[in-house]
Amino acid sequence: EVYDCIACGRCNNECPVGILPSKIMHSLKQGIVLDYMKSDVCIECGLCSYYCPSKIPVMNFVKEAKKLLKGDYL
């Protein structure tokens, strides 16, 4: 079962490329994709989702932001 984000930061701490998956997820939920968050450098390893205690598929949000930045939804 998926729960609400508790803002624990585990997804951010475990990211091997140093991006902030939780911030990317929250901005995407607000309809904002910010290029300075560098979602395009995500290697899609899944550690952010794996370590999330709320079982949120964080990587899916980062992948979506990555696609939006690349213009794949045009």
Side-chain angles (χ1 to χ4, degrees):
E1 187 173 342
V2 176
Y3 299 97
D4 290 334
C5 176
I6 59 172
C8 67
R10 288 188 70 187
C11 61
N12 300 330
N13 294 338
E14 300 299 332
C15 180
V17 294
I19 61 175
L20 302 173
S22 68
K23 299 236 184 244
I24 293 168
M25 177 183 71
H26 290 298
S27 70
L28 187 63
K29 283 183 171 185
Q30 294 175 1
I32 304 166
V33 178
L34 303 167
D35 61 345
Y36 72 83
M37 289 187 180
K38 303 196 182 298
S39 58
D40 58 326
V41 300
C42 173
I43 60 172
E44 299 180 20
C45 65
L47 289 175
C48 53
S49 297
Y50 179 80
Y51 282 102
C52 178
S54 296
K55 305 297 182 210
I56 298 169
V58 182
M59 187 184 72
N60 292 345
F61 289 97
V62 178
K63 283 172 59 174
E64 187 170 337
K66 189 176 180 180
K67 286 180 184 178
L68 288 169
L69 281 177
K70 287 183 179 179
D72 289 351
Y73 285 105
L74 297 177

